[in-house]
Amino acid sequence: MANTDPEGMDAVRMTWNVWPRTKVEASKCVIPLAASIAPICPHPDIPTLPYAPLRCKTCAAVLNAYARVDFIAKIWICPFCYQRNHFPPHYAMISETNLPCELYPQYTTVQYTLLPNPDPNNPSNAPQLPPVFLFVLDTCMIEEELEFVKSAMKQAIGLLPEHALVGFVSFGTQAQVHELGFSDISKVYVFRGNKEISKEQVLEQLGLGAAGRRPTAGYPKGLQNGYTNTGVNRFLLPASDCEYTLNSLLDELQTDQWPVQAGHRASRCTGVALSVAEGLLGACLPGTGARIIALVGGPCTEGPGTIVSKDMSEPVRSHKDLDKDGAPYFKKAVKFYDSLAKQLVSQGHVLDLFASALDQVGVAEMKVAVERTGGLVVLAESFGHSVFKDSFKRVFEDGEQSLGLCFNGMLEITCSKDIKIQGVIGPCTSLEKKGPNVADTVIGEGNTTAWKMCGLDKSTCLTVLFELSSTERANVSGSANQQLYLQFLTSYQHSEGKTMLRVTTVTRQWVDSAVSVEELVQGFDQETAAVVMARITSLKMETEEGFDATRWLDRNLIRLCSKFGDYRKDDPSSFTLNPCFSLFPQFMFNLRRSQFVQVFNNSPDETAYFRMLLNRENITNAAVMIQPSLISYSFNSPPQPALLDVTSISADRILLLDSFVSIVVFHGMTIAQWRNMGYQNQPEHQAFAQLLQAPQADAQMIIRERFPVPRLVVCDQHGSQARFLLAKLNPSATYNNTTDIAAGSDVIFTDDVSLQVFFEHLQRLAVQS
């Protein structure tokens, strides 16, 4: 499986690329049958077709390259349900030599441009609904932070497409909705921060209630950029019209003026502000793509969604509090954000969260609303930090750097007869669409064959978990069907307002694993398996009380090695693993030590943040979060991958560690001394200057490509920030065993077991009879 582009145009990767026939055989494989798909990942070879797709009349699957076609009778046979479908008249010209694009064998993924239902009287007047960006800004912060966030917002508004609609809500002790359409003086609607408010009440108070915006009969007249002239366009204006008003409004905006008692936290009504924003967006035409962009600088202490009291002597909840039920506000806040999520999903709108503060702000509680709506999340220490500033700018940028934000996505999955879907882990919501392919066991967002993704972008990735329903072995003599099929249909609204449908159809082979295990082994994808195990572990840690992640992972790893390893019973020295599995134990070793499993030393907010990233990134990026990559730079060789081990540290090397959220450039002792003496500035030490520059240039390249923008840590051996590297390395040399340590290397002060010891234990347990 050593493919340079493992996902190809389909952007699908599976834990097993050959599937066992029965439920029993599948459970013996230990690692679940799962597929990771990036539904709208761009690829230069994907054709876009200007007509509507043909669907099977029984199972609604779309015509694809795996359908059997009878060119004489003009019939195609659906590979999923074997239904015979007649081609419509406009396909009359097809023949072996004249195929429509979707039947070409190389186009397993195609895109269709779907037309919205036009106005019957005037078909050219199909309203293209502009996207809406509603900024919700926290004003309870120090002057300096507020200045940072204001300048980021001004830059963002300048980057928005001219027709995009913009709205603005600010909040502190109370929530204020700014009427941007009233530019003579600034006009503001104020909502109390301490009580819950329903969508109807919000609309009523803003003058957008049923009475205020009764629709005219028939097709609305006076459609100004897709909106009726009354109502909501007092608050949501095209970016080009309100840029000046908003900039001057931001210039005048002050930090929250309510007095804060000594020893108390500021009164911050994040929950009410988000309810008001969601209510305001509820007045838009249905089908409008909209994002609430929440900029939060501290914890909610007022009204619904409160996570901590105002008294400073009470700290924000920790993991220990959550385990011991010592977080009095947690469940209530999660329940509030859960209902906010449901309302947003029903409207098709997204919540993005940009949180910057030294303490926690409540990401753990808000996670449900961000993840269910497919929102973006960025956690930084300050609004002045590059992690926030550069990430925020990327959201609005166009061209090469664009994230490719899309709206109103829906994923539907069709699969062959014996395959059932347990659920999806990732940024989406189950639409509870039942069908024969729905499994009884639910993992993540389940009980459905269709999912809503209010927001999605080029890199959004979902994990689908499958199970098999067949218990008896199918009749394997020739006549049985050797191939299984999966089809992923993703419809979404492009940033220009066009509706697209992307269809990916993949096939894999069934094998009778009771007869031959070899084919199964060759089809194992170690990276995908490691990431899927990490995602399931994170989900179980959040949803199952008292779940022991380390034991669960260890048990599964031992079972896997017992099943697929080669060994003589009870003889650990005879144990070997096929190369298709040889990296997997190392992934599990690093997963056990990662921030996904070891939550000690991380706040619940950080853990929630890391898990949201793990669940939405592609396999390659997620694998780096579990097992960071390490590159070594030295005088006598070009840059090369190094072992993620403390022995890779050497006085005359520079190391570059990439763990997705942070990038560390680590200078060995000698290199640091030479640099401090300024050798790199002397003409005869040109090579040294280049050596110092190389890892910095590579780090910048990674930073440019990635969202959220990672934190860059530049440190020296034995310096205080060296901990960012040491924490990720295999502790093969600790203070206990420093006998064979190389000069200029390092030791790690830890009692954690090393990879070597982990392997020895694994071998001993795997061969036990």
Side-chain angles (χ1 to χ4, degrees):
M1 307 306 302
N3 190 341
T4 46
D5 177 15
E7 299 177 8
M9 71 175 344
D10 295 338
V12 171
R13 280 180 75 174
M14 299 195 190
T15 46
W16 299 95
N17 285 299
V18 179
W19 285 29
R21 278 266 178 205
T22 66
K23 198 170 188 163
V24 177
E25 291 298 328
S27 71
K28 284 185 192 161
C29 289
V30 186
I31 308 292
L33 295 169
S36 150
I37 174 159
I40 61 168
C41 179
H43 193 282
D45 299 342
I46 297 176
T48 300
L49 311 179
Y51 46 85
L54 282 193
R55 286 184 175 246
C56 168
K57 62 185 180 201
T58 308
C59 68
V62 168
L63 175 64
N64 59 77
Y66 301 111
R68 299 226 310 278
V69 177
D70 178 341
F71 292 106
I72 316 288
K74 302 281 186 278
I75 282 172
W76 61 280
I77 297 170
C78 171
F80 295 95
C81 66
Y82 309 117
Q83 168 69 45
R84 299 162 69 84
N85 295 280
H86 287 277
F87 281 106
H90 59 277
Y91 275 77
M93 297 301 290
I94 65 167
S95 67
E96 308 256 350
T97 52
N98 183 19
L99 287 175
C101 193
E102 65 267 36
L103 286 177
Y104 276 83
Q106 69 268 38
Y107 293 138
T108 44
T109 295
V110 295
Q111 287 210 109
Y112 296 91
T113 312
L114 304 179
L115 294 168
N117 301 331
D119 169 11
N121 314 331
N122 179 5
S124 65
N125 189 22
Q128 288 251 331
L129 299 177
V132 179
F133 295 87
L134 179 53
F135 293 91
V136 179
L137 174 64
D138 178 355
T139 57
C140 293
M141 40 179 128
I142 56 169
E143 197 63 54
E144 184 187 19
E145 284 288 301
L146 193 64
E147 287 311 311
F148 285 138
V149 77
K150 281 181 186 179
S151 79
M153 263 188 69
K154 288 178 179 174
Q155 185 183 28
I157 293 155
L159 287 169
L160 282 173
E162 297 206 335
H163 67 289
L165 300 181
V166 180
F168 182 48
V169 175
S170 58
F171 70 95
T173 309
Q174 298 170 328
Q176 293 96 12
V177 181
H178 299 263
E179 189 174 318
L180 302 176
F182 198 83
S183 51
D184 309 342
I185 50 169
S186 63
K187 187 169 168 188
V188 178
Y189 291 75
V190 180
F191 292 83
R192 271 174 53 188
N194 53 8
K195 64 183 235 276
E196 219 162 313
I197 183 162
S198 71
K199 178 177 163 182
E200 285 66 39
Q201 289 168 309
V202 173
L203 294 174
E204 205 54 55
Q205 263 182 284
L206 294 175
L208 301 172
R213 50 181 188 111
R214 189 166 289 123
T216 46
Y219 208 70
K221 289 189 177 55
L223 262 179
Q224 173 207 344
N225 57 41
Y227 282 81
T228 44
N229 272 333
T230 57
V232 79
N233 58 356
R234 303 190 340 251
F235 302 99
L236 303 175
L237 272 78
S240 50
D241 296 359
C242 69
E243 189 172 356
Y244 176 74
T245 316
L246 238 174
N247 278 342
S248 33
L249 201 157
L250 285 171
D251 288 336
E252 289 165 19
L253 194 69
Q254 294 175 312
T255 54
D256 193 50
Q257 297 300 301
W258 288 76
V260 178
Q261 280 176 305
H264 279 63
R265 294 184 174 87
S267 156
R268 185 185 278 107
C269 66
T270 319
V272 165
L274 293 174
S275 294
V276 168
E278 170 257 302
L280 171 59
L281 290 178
C284 295
L285 286 183
T288 304
R291 306 186 86 91
I292 295 175
I293 296 167
L295 298 143
V296 183
C300 177
T301 56
E302 184 78 81
T306 295
I307 68 158
V308 66
S309 74
K310 293 195 185 71
D311 188 349
M312 283 277 203
S313 62
E314 183 190 314
V316 183
R317 75 243 159 335
S318 66
H319 275 295
K320 204 167 170 189
D321 297 330
L322 294 177
D323 290 342
K324 299 242 167 22
D325 244 354
Y329 299 98
F330 183 74
K331 285 187 174 141
K332 200 173 165 198
V334 171
K335 196 174 161 199
F336 166 75
Y337 283 112
D338 189 73
S339 65
L340 185 81
K342 288 197 175 88
Q343 186 58 50
L344 283 170
V345 169
S346 73
Q347 292 174 189
H349 299 155
V350 189
L351 173 62
D352 295 325
L353 176 60
F354 292 87
S356 296
L358 289 169
D359 198 6
Q360 302 182 71
V361 303
V363 178
E365 286 82 356
M366 294 157 92
K367 174 176 188 276
V368 53
V370 178
E371 203 159 40
R372 293 254 182 91
T373 61
L376 304 169
V377 59
V378 176
L379 189 58
E381 287 172 10
S382 147
F383 284 114
H385 200 291
S386 65
V387 171
F388 165 74
K389 286 199 305 201
D390 298 347
S391 302
F392 195 64
K393 186 173 161 214
R394 282 283 302 278
V395 175
F396 304 97
E397 267 178 339
D398 235 7
E400 271 302 286
Q401 290 293 298
S402 150
L403 297 181
L405 297 180
C406 296
F407 297 95
N408 276 315
M410 185 165 101
L411 171 71
E412 292 175 84
I413 302 177
T414 309
C415 27
S416 292
K417 183 169 115 265
D418 290 330
I419 303 170
K420 307 261 188 228
I421 301 164
Q422 294 179 326
V424 168
I425 300 177
C428 64
T429 300
S430 162
L431 285 173
E432 304 284 336
K433 183 182 172 192
K434 302 286 187 289
N437 291 109
V438 176
D440 297 334
T441 324
V442 173
I443 300 179
E445 291 290 308
N447 272 327
T448 183
T449 56
W451 294 262
K452 176 87 178 164
M453 295 176 283
C454 303
L456 67 168
D457 57 70
K458 289 196 295 207
S459 64
T460 302
C461 189
L462 301 172
T463 307
V464 190
L465 294 139
F466 300 99
E467 69 175 28
L468 301 177
S469 58
S470 53
T471 40
E472 76 296 332
R473 259 192 216 106
N475 156 21
V476 187
S477 61
S479 67
N481 177 19
Q482 287 301 305
Q483 297 294 106
L484 63 100
Y485 298 95
L486 302 170
Q487 189 174 69
F488 302 92
L489 303 171
T490 312
S491 58
Y492 61 96
Q493 228 176 30
H494 207 271
S495 48
E496 279 97 65
K498 282 208 290 270
T499 304
M500 310 294 287
L501 174 71
R502 174 144 153 180
V503 181
T504 295
T505 315
V506 295
T507 183
R508 293 289 186 271
Q509 199 181 345
W510 292 114
V511 295
D512 194 348
S513 53
V515 179
S516 128
V517 150
E518 189 45 39
E519 290 181 59
L520 207 57
V521 168
Q522 293 303 323
F524 183 63
D525 182 335
Q526 315 186 56
E527 249 192 335
T528 306
V531 172
V532 167
M533 290 304 269
R535 288 172 177 167
I536 294 174
T537 306
S538 292
L539 182 73
K540 283 177 174 286
M541 285 178 80
E542 281 181 355
T543 53
E544 294 179 19
E545 231 155 86
F547 174 71
D548 185 342
T550 308
R551 275 195 61 184
W552 185 78
L553 287 169
D554 288 351
R555 275 212 305 271
N556 280 308
L557 180 59
I558 293 162
R559 277 180 58 208
L560 187 78
C561 291
S562 296
K563 161 100 174 151
F564 294 104
D566 295 314
Y567 54 88
R568 290 188 300 278
K569 284 243 161 88
D570 296 323
D571 177 4
S573 62
S574 69
F575 182 86
T576 58
L577 257 181
N578 183 300
C580 295
F581 287 91
S582 55
L583 297 174
F584 189 74
Q586 190 181 324
F587 270 120
M588 290 300 103
F589 170 76
N590 284 302
L591 174 59
R592 290 165 86 244
R593 303 180 69 218
S594 72
Q595 69 268 37
F596 302 113
V597 175
Q598 301 299 334
V599 296
F600 175 76
N601 217 3
N602 281 324
S603 67
D605 270 16
E606 287 171 311
T607 301
Y609 177 57
F610 295 140
R611 286 180 178 161
M612 283 154 92
L613 294 180
L614 174 73
N615 287 347
R616 61 162 291 138
E617 284 299 324
N618 66 24
I619 297 294
T620 313
N621 283 345
V624 166
M625 296 179 202
I626 299 165
Q627 183 172 298
S629 70
L630 190 65
I631 297 173
S632 150
Y633 299 78
S634 62
F635 278 118
N636 43 19
S637 66
Q640 56 194 40
L643 283 174
L644 195 63
D645 192 301
V646 65
T647 54
S648 294
I649 293 178
S650 154
D652 58 355
R653 276 188 189 171
I654 304 177
L655 295 175
L656 175 69
L657 177 95
D658 176 9
S659 68
F660 194 82
V661 285
S662 60
I663 291 174
V664 183
V665 178
F666 175 96
H667 302 96
M669 221 159 31
T670 315
I671 300 258
Q673 283 164 349
W674 291 348
R675 185 204 56 210
N676 295 343
M677 289 169 167
Y679 285 174
Q680 68 277 19
N681 303 327
Q682 297 169 8
E684 68 270 27
H685 293 301
Q686 207 60 58
F688 179 57
Q690 282 163 356
L691 179 67
L692 280 180
Q693 192 41 51
Q696 294 279 1
D698 289 352
Q700 286 308 323
M701 213 163 78
I702 297 171
I703 288 171
R704 260 204 311 278
E705 289 301 306
R706 185 167 296 165
F707 182 91
V709 170
R711 167 184 186 166
L712 179 64
V713 178
V714 180
C715 60
D716 299 338
Q717 191 173 357
H718 308 310
S720 73
Q721 292 208 301
R723 64 182 193 276
F724 282 100
L725 173 71
L726 295 177
K728 299 288 186 190
L729 298 180
N730 169 32
S732 59
T734 67
Y735 65 97
N736 286 325
N737 60 349
T738 52
T739 43
D740 48 358
I741 175 175
S745 188
D746 225 323
V747 295
I748 293 180
F749 292 95
T750 180
D751 289 321
D752 284 359
V753 297
S754 67
L755 184 60
Q756 187 71 36
V757 175
F758 179 75
F759 254 55
E760 286 162 13
H761 282 268
L762 174 62
Q763 283 170 329
R764 210 181 60 241
L765 292 164
V767 302
Q768 273 180 3
S769 50

